Amino acid sequence: MAHTIKYLFLTALLVTIVVYDPMWTHHPAASPDDPAKEDLTRVLYPSTRSIAWEPVFIRPQDTLESLYGNNWIHVARFNRIDRRHVYPGMTIKSPLYLDKLKDYTPMSREYEPARKYYRYILINLEEQWLGAYEYGRLKFSFPAATGKKGYETPTGIFRVDARHKNHTSSLYKTEDETAQYPMDYAIRFHIGKDNVAYWIHARDLPGKPASHGCIGLFDEAMQKRVTKIPENPVLHDSKKLYDWAVGENLYGPDSGDIELLEDGPLVEVAGHNPEYLSKPNRFHGKTSN
């Protein structure tokens, strides 16, 4: 009887921890001060209104792979989140028809302002998404994490003026504070009046604006090097953009050190950060297949 009572008590304690403080049972968890309250259904991306989805609560045994198999990549992109930030106690958007996600992008397939440029990078802040255009046609696109409230990414049209494959932050450190924060495959597009530089670079994606102004892209290889998560890196968007925008085929051998560039691609940052709903969103999108 005593063993039964003890078991029930421990089970209740675990449930309480997972639901009310996921940081106790899983590393890493997002900040308890997260404005989305650990519920990504509250982050409103306009393009998700046309896709049927439902909220899914992440249990201790859940991973994106166990829930969605080989389609986990599409679900991760849809939520603008990496595997490292999917943890027990949070809620994600779960698309009902996974086959419709393979070509999902909130970016226009053609963008008139980019038509006369060989390389043009467009960042939609409200969608937290980046599009790479060649002469106005979308070549590829992927999710991004831009500046959070109080550190919003500057908007406007800029020009890439430097590349740095092995860049690290001069201002911020890793979570354990043992090293400067890595910013692999960094592309500089703006230097503010306060001499703060803004880059597009590798970082973690927690499903919402999260940076101090830079634009972060998936790079699971960098995450594994720094945090040992994930075990099998797959997503490497930062390298793909780097090679396409400022790679050796365009600007010659890359030393790995910071290098100034002439006539770099244009970078347009447009819009505003996504809206945070005051209450969890229980469903969105069309119900028909």
Side-chain angles (χ1 to χ4, degrees), residues 230-252:
E231 183 177 347
N232 56 331
V234 174
L235 300 172
H236 212 171
D237 293 350
S238 60
K239 182 180 186 301
K240 182 173 182 177
L241 181 72
Y242 187 93
D243 290 343
W244 174 84
V246 297
E248 293 187 343
N249 61 319
L250 294 174
Y251 293 97

Side-chain angles (χ1 to χ4, degrees), residues 124-174:
N124 184 324
L125 294 178
E126 190 172 15
E127 290 284 1
Q128 292 291 285
W129 210 274
L130 178 150
Y133 290 86
E134 294 182 0
Y135 296 120
R137 293 189 175 184
L138 187 65
K139 182 70 173 179
F140 54 84
S141 73
F142 24 63
T146 67
K148 58 187 176 182
K149 186 176 181 180
Y151 297 91
E152 287 84 357
T153 302
T155 57
I157 297 179
F158 312 96
R159 185 176 291 278
V160 169
D161 68 351
R163 68 180 181 182
H164 193 183
K165 183 185 293 185
N166 303 311
H167 190 60
T168 58
S169 173
S170 61
L171 299 174
Y172 305 104
K173 291 188 175 183
T174 54

Side-chain angles (χ1 to χ4, degrees), residues 13-34 36-40 57-62 81 84-92 208:
L13 178 61
L14 176 61
V15 171
T16 300
I17 289 174
V18 169
V19 173
Y20 291 104
D21 196 344
M23 294 185 73
W24 291 8
T25 61
H26 189 278
H27 178 78
S31 167
D33 298 326
D34 174 10
K37 305 300 182 187
E38 316 302 345
D39 188 339
L40 294 187
F57 181 81
I58 302 300
R59 303 164 300 174
Q61 69 269 30
D62 290 335
I81 197 169
R84 180 172 167 264
H85 282 84
V86 176
Y87 55 85
M90 73 179 305
T91 302
I92 65 172
K208 56 191 179 295

Side-chain angles (χ1 to χ4, degrees), residues 30-186:
S31 167
D33 298 326
D34 174 10
K37 305 300 182 187
E38 316 302 345
D39 188 339
L40 294 187
T41 71
R42 298 177 65 174
V43 186
L44 181 60
Y45 300 115
S47 63
T48 64
R49 292 172 173 168
S50 62
I51 297 177
W53 59 263
E54 62 185 356
V56 165
F57 181 81
I58 302 300
R59 303 164 300 174
Q61 69 269 30
D62 290 335
T63 65
L64 288 182
E65 294 96 318
S66 69
L67 291 172
Y68 302 104
N70 293 334
N71 286 308
W72 74 263
I73 293 176
H74 307 308
V75 177
R77 292 188 182 281
F78 185 71
N79 282 275
R80 287 77 163 158
I81 197 169
D82 58 50
R83 287 181 284 176
R84 180 172 167 264
H85 282 84
V86 176
Y87 55 85
M90 73 179 305
T91 302
I92 65 172
K93 300 183 182 85
S94 181
L96 298 185
Y97 310 115
L98 295 177
D99 59 315
K100 291 189 175 183
L101 284 187
K102 295 180 180 179
D103 296 320
Y104 167 73
T105 177
M107 309 302 288
S108 298
R109 299 292 178 177
E110 295 191 5
Y111 188 57
E112 184 62 32
R115 189 168 298 280
K116 63 180 180 179
Y117 299 101
Y118 178 47
R119 296 283 192 270
Y120 193 100
I121 300 170
L122 173 64
I123 295 91
N124 184 324
L125 294 178
E126 190 172 15
E127 290 284 1
Q128 292 291 285
W129 210 274
L130 178 150
Y133 290 86
E134 294 182 0
Y135 296 120
R137 293 189 175 184
L138 187 65
K139 182 70 173 179
F140 54 84
S141 73
F142 24 63
T146 67
K148 58 187 176 182
K149 186 176 181 180
Y151 297 91
E152 287 84 357
T153 302
T155 57
I157 297 179
F158 312 96
R159 185 176 291 278
V160 169
D161 68 351
R163 68 180 181 182
H164 193 183
K165 183 185 293 185
N166 303 311
H167 190 60
T168 58
S169 173
S170 61
L171 299 174
Y172 305 104
K173 291 188 175 183
T174 54
E175 291 177 2
D176 60 10
E177 297 191 348
T178 60
Q180 296 303 117
Y181 189 90
M183 299 166 61
D184 294 10
Y185 299 103

